[in-house]
Amino acid sequence: MIRKSLAAVALAAIVPVASAKTVSMCVFDVIGANGDFYNMVKDYALEMKAHGVDFDLKPYTDEGVAVGDFNAGQCDAVAATDIRTRPFNRFTGSISAVGALPTYDDLKTLLATLAQPKAAPLMKENGYEVLGIVPVGAGYLFVNDRSIDTAGELAGKRMATLDYQKDAIHMVNFVKATVVPSDITNFAGKFNNGSVDTAYAPAFAYEALELYKGLGKDGGIVDYPLAQLTIQVIARDDVLPDASAQKAREVAWGMFPQAMDLISGQETAIPDDKWVKIPEKDIQGYQEMFRQNRLEMRDGLNGAPNVYHPKMLGLLSKIRCASNPASSGCTAGNRE
């Protein structure tokens, strides 16, 4: 009897592994297989094995190639920045809307909400499904001259701008700066060799992409989050059954503390004297400027690209106003 019970236990342990669904995933990390974010996706994949999904990961240092291979059917899923994955899901792709989430506490509230089963219908769009969202850090403006700390001083400055990030291009044009078309593989080099005056990136780029070289002695990092950047796992919506897809999103949400520990370490590792502080009165002006631009890019007004999802902007507005009800955008007649 004991021998039979042991055999049954062994069989039960083997069956889930044998029946696990293998899903190939192209994973972008600018550092490749040794990068922090690739390793975070590895942790995500490891936990998903316990839920019957075996992700087979393939690292990419070029995000465009990773997404291109996904489009070509060479992988079942892709993990890339929301800037690149926005065409697959405009709703989750609008998380990085300019100035929409000023704090990590607001981001935590948002991602907790999106991991709930009731949000599942919004994770599907145009034959694709979002299987997870993990933060990679707020995007900051790196400048080679610390005096570039207001929107007015950006006029005429050369800004490395991802040529596929339509909202960033609109903002650069709005402040009358000069767009220098770039991509994830070359923007850091352009900033570091002085080809551009400013670049936009999370804190990890300070060391990983050596942006400290571009800062030099006179530059700095403007201490205001322009957007919250995330890595999103996108798959064709027939790759996983709904229950497994929901579990995948919950597993990704469970990694929030790990991701924030990583981000916090990257931000605190930057020397204090490299951060450029902005007066509170200027911040209020920026917030309104960003809000007007979000409205334009929600509705496609004044030549703006129609890139932001109205439902996501409405959700972000509710979260901001719950944590900071005194904000001018919370009482405006044209609230998001």
Side-chain angles (χ1 to χ4, degrees):
M1 179 68 72
I2 293 175
R3 185 175 298 169
K4 184 176 181 181
S5 297
L6 289 174
V9 169
L11 182 61
I14 293 170
V15 168
V17 175
S19 62
K21 179 176 177 59
T22 300
V23 178
S24 59
M25 189 195 304
C26 299
V27 181
F28 165 69
D29 187 310
V30 71
I31 306 301
N34 294 320
D36 290 328
F37 298 111
Y38 181 82
N39 283 315
M40 200 145 38
V41 176
K42 278 177 64 178
D43 291 343
Y44 165 81
L46 183 61
E47 186 162 348
M48 283 305 297
K49 277 191 176 183
H51 302 291
V53 180
D54 186 5
F55 283 111
D56 179 20
L57 308 183
K58 182 180 179 182
Y60 288 75
T61 56
D62 188 317
E63 191 173 29
V65 175
V67 173
D69 281 1
F70 172 63
N71 280 328
Q74 295 186 35
C75 41
D76 304 312
V78 63
T81 64
D82 53 64
I83 297 168
R84 273 285 193 187
T85 62
R86 187 178 287 160
F88 303 115
N89 190 301
R90 186 178 167 213
F91 177 73
T92 59
S94 299
I95 290 173
S96 59
V98 60
L101 282 176
T103 71
Y104 287 128
D105 284 343
D106 288 345
L107 178 64
K108 181 178 181 180
T109 300
L110 173 69
L111 296 187
T113 302
L114 298 184
Q116 299 300 313
K118 63 183 178 182
L122 293 165
M123 299 299 109
K124 290 190 178 189
E125 187 176 303
N126 299 325
Y128 298 95
E129 183 164 17
V130 180
L131 299 183
I133 305 172
V134 179
V136 296
Y140 298 99
L141 192 66
F142 287 67
V143 298
N144 61 9
D145 181 346
R146 295 176 68 89
S147 69
I148 307 173
D149 60 355
T150 67
E153 283 153 356
L154 287 169
K157 297 295 188 288
R158 299 160 299 169
M159 299 186 69
T161 312
L162 301 180
D163 50 16
Y164 48 84
Q165 192 179 2
K166 295 179 180 178
D167 50 343
I169 292 171
H170 179 70
M171 277 301 306
V172 173
N173 288 331
F174 181 85
V175 298
K176 296 181 172 54
T178 300
V179 170
V180 178
S182 308
D183 63 40
I184 203 79
T185 64
N186 63 27
F187 84 93
K190 290 181 180 181
F191 182 66
N192 291 341
N193 67 24
S195 299
V196 297
D197 303 300
T198 71
Y200 162 73
F204 85 84
Y206 179 81
E207 282 288 346
L209 301 183
E210 301 182 331
L211 291 191
Y212 58 83
K213 292 181 178 178
L215 296 181
K217 293 181 179 179
D218 300 323
I221 306 166
V222 180
D223 192 9
Y224 183 82
L226 295 178
Q228 296 291 350
L229 304 177
T230 61
I231 288 284
Q232 299 191 7
V233 179
I234 309 290
R236 291 169 185 82
D237 67 12
D238 58 352
V239 166
L240 292 182
D242 288 349
S244 296
Q246 178 57 33
K247 178 55 68 175
R249 289 188 287 272
E250 292 169 1
V251 166
W253 159 238
M255 299 181 70
F256 184 85
Q258 177 184 346
M260 289 310 305
D261 283 347
L262 181 62
I263 293 164
S264 177
Q266 292 163 345
E267 293 188 352
T268 56
I270 296 174
D272 287 345
D273 63 358
K274 292 300 180 183
W275 292 100
V276 179
K277 304 297 182 183
I278 302 177
E280 184 61 34
K281 60 180 177 61
D282 290 342
I283 289 176
Q284 292 174 7
Y286 288 141
Q287 288 173 341
E288 181 58 23
M289 178 182 74
F290 290 145
R291 191 179 74 85
Q292 292 297 336
N293 272 269
R294 289 194 301 272
L295 292 173
E296 289 183 356
M297 288 187 277
R298 178 193 69 185
D299 301 331
L301 300 174
N302 300 324
N306 184 214
V307 293
Y308 294 153
H309 196 290
K311 191 179 289 289
M312 176 57 78
L313 290 192
L315 177 58
L316 298 177
S317 176
K318 287 179 182 177
I319 291 171
R320 282 197 312 277
C321 293
S323 61
N324 183 19
S327 173
S328 62
C330 299
T331 55
N334 60 343
R335 273 190 62 180
E336 295 160 88

